[in-house]
Amino acid sequence: MINSFIWVTFQREGIHCYPAALTDPKLQSVSFLGYPHRHIFHFRVELEVFHDDRDVEFIMFKRELEQYIDGMMGFLNNKSCEMIANDLYNLYIKVKYPNRICVIEVSEDNENGCRIYFNEESE
């Protein structure tokens, strides 16, 4: 079986924190993460497509995701990269593009982040 994907990338500024870093002794060396701090969050989203003639037009897909993320960025609070990726998938992509494999990467400053593979068939 062959799976085909489109992918888009974009970035957004956001502020978040990791409250447990202030109180957990195991996190003492990164306690500064407990305070609100700024990152440029980088996104790469891959979406399964079922034919090779703009099944999902990637420029339009990118614009949709940017618009959705713009609404999320003011409400990051203590969300990790993994939480952001899960929200993007479960609250938007899975609803608008059901029954497709999707891979989402979210990183802080394009240095450290997550990669999550979503496949409804295996859920």
Side-chain angles (χ1 to χ4, degrees):
M1 175 181 217
I2 296 175
N3 296 97
S4 296
F5 295 83
I6 60 164
W7 57 266
V8 299
T9 64
F10 57 96
Q11 60 190 38
R12 289 293 184 269
E13 178 181 37
I15 296 173
H16 74 158
C17 64
Y18 181 29
L22 292 173
T23 57
D24 188 335
K26 295 180 292 198
L27 299 171
Q28 184 177 8
S29 67
V30 291
S31 62
F32 58 90
L33 297 176
Y35 299 99
H37 54 279
R38 173 194 178 272
H39 289 290
I40 300 296
F41 288 90
H42 292 255
F43 296 84
R44 178 182 167 104
V45 179
E46 299 178 30
L47 184 69
E48 183 180 28
V49 292
F50 302 122
H51 61 76
D52 62 1
D53 191 15
R54 295 180 177 90
D55 177 21
V56 177
E57 205 297 315
F58 49 74
I59 295 171
M60 293 171 64
F61 183 58
K62 175 179 178 169
R63 289 175 181 168
E64 290 173 28
L65 298 181
E66 288 174 325
Q67 185 175 9
Y68 182 78
I69 288 295
D70 286 347
M72 277 180 60
M73 294 312 283
F75 303 97
L76 292 180
N77 299 323
N78 63 343
K79 289 188 179 179
S80 65
C81 291
E82 296 89 339
M83 293 173 186
I84 295 168
N86 276 301
D87 283 354
L88 178 58
Y89 177 74
N90 288 307
L91 301 176
Y92 187 80
I93 295 171
K94 182 178 178 178
V95 174
K96 179 131 189 212
Y97 300 96
N99 304 313
R100 295 175 188 255
I101 298 169
C102 182
V103 180
I104 301 176
E105 295 180 13
V106 179
S107 70
E108 297 174 349
D109 307 314
N110 213 19
E111 294 178 338
N112 309 297
C114 72
R115 181 175 195 270
I116 302 178
Y117 178 90
F118 298 94
N119 183 355
E120 290 182 41
E121 292 179 8
S122 63
E123 290 180 355

